[in-house]
Amino acid sequence: MRWSTCCRSSNGGAKPSMPERPGGPPPLPFDGTPPNAGTTRARALARLGDDGSFLARLGPVYRRSVDEQGAALLSATRGGDADAVRHWAHTLKGSLMTVGAVASAERAGRIERAARAGRLAGIAAQAACVVDEARTIAEQLDPVTETRDA
Amino acid sequence: MDVLIVDDNPVNLTVMEHLVGRVDGATARAFRLGEPGLAWCREHGADLVIVDYHLPDLDGLRFIERIRTLAGHEDVPVLMITASTDREVRRQALEWGTTDFLHKPVDRAEFTARVRNMLRLRALSRRPDPREAAAGPAPSAQASDPTEIEALLCLARAAERRDPAAGSHLIRPGDAARAIAARLGLDREFQSLIRRAAPLLDVGKIGTPDSVLLKQTGLSAQELEVMRQHTVVGWEMLRVYRSPVLQMAASIALSHHERWDGTGYPKRLTGEAIPIEGRIVAVVDALDALTSVRPGKPACPVADAVAAIRPNTGRHFDPDCVDALVDVLPQLERRREAEHA
């Protein structure tokens, strides 16, 4: 099994939904990590000491941050700026880790490492997937969305 | 107690601010950039500093270096947050004044416990020594409070102002002594003590008569003997205090003109019989003398000063102290540039 992309995979065990594209960017190696296992809110709550009111306050901060960090990452990949890609992938990884999105954070970490090594081929598509995941997680941190999806 | 947090990621910052707010008696002061955080510290003072290794405006190491130069922040605990397991990064961070590390992402329980412990340490370090308190009402010689040390520093400055040979310091003697002590592997307590004690090295000159201290031409043998007495006078002034800083200052005052080969004064001690604080400050004092502007003598560039000190290794100075000085000079010069930036 190969895991080519990671989009929309953060809702707890669902298979990656985006098909592998022939001739597309080289896939990220599958490391056996289930994509963000467990519900997003539950993972975030576990990390934050089951403090729902704080998570309600953190949610909008997370959303604004990943919007900014994601846009900067995508812009850096478009511009082929390895240093900026490394920086923004690192920052986005930190945001993802903080809300317990371990698998997505790992993927951001791989982009960071690739950029540090100057390997930018195929990075744009991988970055787009991670940014998409980060935004999906923002939606899922919203208690209303969580209830509706449950 | 005020906890300064600096992290450019708003998500991490919000979480840490929240966790600090849950520690009894702690108030979080959160900043996304290093410079505003430093400005806040300069104005208000922090009891604990938590800083990310990666900052956009200055890296975590430089931030810590700058924090340590702020008055009252020499001993404030600093926790550095880093994902790096690079031993060299960690060694450097410790050398530049980091107290401990926190891993990313921060673990809620570990973070809270560390913050609580660091604040407890900070509170203890600000409390008077209970042994001194138990010794009853203090005679004047007993004090270790900062006011008294400040008063003695005023005396040292007064002595320095009388002395035409004393110039403006290019590199602060306390900082240089501390850096050398760190390089020699002496513990943090020693480093902190020597940083505060070193500026008192010439306090005994307050007792040197003007006729000798201000004399522009060469001193006679008798006058030279009077001048040399500043070491003993300084020691007499300081030795009666129980404070560890002033005890060390007394030792420095007495021993900083001793020479490694036994030709110094006042006791003509040799080699390791000279207290290590005296050996360190002897090198620092020589550097300071060479790099300061003095009557009839322009300031010597640091490189030239080092070139002048080196041949005296093993004769005038402890070889290890000279090597350590050479090693830490780049760090001291960076600090000086940062202060003047």
Side-chain angles (χ1 to χ4, degrees):
Chain A
M1 173 179 173
R2 286 205 312 162
W3 186 3
S4 61
T5 64
C6 49
C7 294
R8 298 284 173 186
S9 62
S10 56
N11 57 355
K15 272 189 169 182
S17 58
M18 187 179 281
E20 191 173 332
R21 285 175 296 176
L28 291 168
F30 177 55
D31 61 358
T33 311
N36 298 325
T39 71
T40 303
R41 260 181 72 75
R43 286 192 312 271
L45 278 169
R47 281 202 55 80
L48 300 169
D50 290 323
D51 188 338
S53 64
F54 174 61
L55 185 55
R57 194 149 58 80
L58 182 67
V61 176
Y62 173 85
R63 180 189 291 274
R64 280 195 301 274
S65 297
V66 297
D67 278 347
E68 178 193 321
Q69 293 158 7
L73 175 60
L74 296 178
S75 166
T77 56
R78 278 194 299 271
D81 182 345
D83 200 44
V85 170
R86 181 199 54 73
H87 170 76
W88 289 110
H90 173 84
T91 306
L92 189 59
K93 180 182 76 178
S95 299
L96 289 161
M97 273 293 206
T98 299
V99 296
V102 178
S104 300
E106 263 299 304
R107 283 185 270 282
R110 279 181 225 149
I111 294 171
E112 180 191 359
R113 288 193 292 277
R116 182 175 291 123
R119 293 194 309 268
L120 292 187
I123 280 284
Q126 296 170 15
C129 287
V130 172
V131 170
D132 190 34
E133 278 190 350
R135 287 175 178 154
T136 303
I137 288 165
E139 289 165 24
Q140 291 171 345
L141 287 176
D142 182 337
V144 176
T145 307
E146 171 79 357
T147 308
R148 199 180 59 220
D149 287 351
Chain B
M1 299 179 92
D2 288 308
V3 180
L4 179 83
I5 312 169
V6 187
D7 192 320
D8 64 319
N9 189 330
V11 178
N12 299 344
L13 198 61
T14 304
V15 170
M16 288 189 279
E17 194 178 5
H18 170 69
L19 294 175
V20 165
R22 292 172 64 167
V23 174
D24 278 347
T27 305
R29 312 286 177 184
F31 294 89
R32 287 183 65 181
L33 293 171
E35 291 290 356
L38 285 168
W40 188 90
C41 275
R42 199 174 293 122
E43 194 170 341
H44 304 280
D47 294 297
L48 170 61
V49 174
I50 301 170
V51 59
D52 188 20
Y53 175 61
H54 292 287
L55 292 176
D57 56 343
L58 70 170
D59 72 39
L61 295 179
R62 294 234 179 271
F63 180 89
I64 291 168
E65 187 180 40
R66 297 264 303 274
I67 270 276
R68 292 297 184 212
T69 68
L70 298 181
H73 290 77
E74 300 86 356
D75 303 313
V76 167
V78 175
L79 288 171
M80 178 177 274
I81 304 161
T82 175
S84 175
T85 50
D86 185 333
R87 286 170 65 93
E88 182 55 23
V89 167
R90 285 169 173 262
R91 188 195 62 74
Q92 251 189 315
L94 287 169
E95 204 168 90
W96 289 35
T98 301
T99 312
D100 209 343
F101 298 94
L102 277 166
H103 293 278
K104 265 186 183 177
V106 293
D107 176 83
R108 179 173 47 89
E110 183 191 356
F111 180 89
T112 307
R114 288 275 180 90
V115 168
R116 201 172 279 137
N117 288 345
M118 290 289 166
L119 288 177
R120 197 174 293 147
L121 279 176
R122 174 68 173 160
L124 284 171
S125 74
R126 292 165 72 181
R127 194 184 295 173
D129 185 339
R131 287 167 301 182
E132 291 187 6
S140 63
Q142 202 172 345
S144 63
D145 77 67
T147 318
E148 194 133 10
I149 295 173
E150 279 297 314
L152 286 159
L153 274 171
C154 282
L155 268 183
R157 283 188 210 108
E160 202 172 74
R161 285 183 72 88
R162 290 179 61 224
D163 180 3
S168 57
H169 303 293
L170 186 67
I171 289 173
R172 282 200 293 247
D175 289 343
R178 178 182 186 273
I180 292 173
R183 186 66 191 167
L184 291 173
L186 296 162
D187 65 36
R188 291 186 64 80
E189 189 186 352
F190 184 95
Q191 294 169 36
S192 171
L193 289 175
I194 199 168
R195 190 188 60 74
R196 288 182 287 165
L200 291 164
L201 80 168
D202 280 333
V203 70
K205 284 186 178 171
I206 200 83
T208 308
D210 283 353
S211 58
V212 174
L213 193 67
L214 306 180
K215 192 169 179 183
Q216 297 287 324
T217 53
L219 299 176
S220 68
Q222 194 180 358
E223 287 166 336
L224 196 58
E225 196 49 46
V226 172
M227 178 62 107
R228 288 178 170 181
Q229 280 301 306
H230 82 273
T231 52
V232 180
V233 173
W235 176 70
E236 293 279 0
M237 284 172 67
L238 297 166
R239 73 184 176 93
V240 291
Y241 293 92
R242 282 190 186 178
S243 142
V245 175
L246 298 180
Q247 285 288 310
M248 184 180 281
S251 170
I252 288 169
L254 186 64
S255 62
H256 73 283
H257 281 288
E258 299 288 357
R259 293 184 181 192
W260 185 252
D261 63 5
T263 61
Y265 63 91
K267 292 185 170 177
R268 298 177 73 85
L269 298 176
T270 306
E272 292 185 359
I274 307 166
I276 181 64
E277 56 270 24
R279 282 181 268 151
I280 291 172
V281 173
V283 176
V284 170
D285 191 33
L287 177 76
D288 186 42
L290 289 164
T291 56
S292 300
V293 180
R294 299 191 172 194
K297 181 194 88 64
C300 171
V302 171
D304 292 355
V306 172
I309 288 171
R310 268 198 188 282
N312 286 294
T313 299
R315 290 164 47 209
H316 196 138
F317 305 115
D318 177 346
D320 289 344
C321 292
V322 175
D323 288 346
L325 172 72
V326 172
D327 288 346
V328 300
L329 267 176
Q331 174 191 335
L332 293 168
E333 293 199 274
R334 277 199 306 271
R335 175 173 295 188
R336 181 167 59 91
E337 284 163 13
E339 282 173 9
H340 291 91

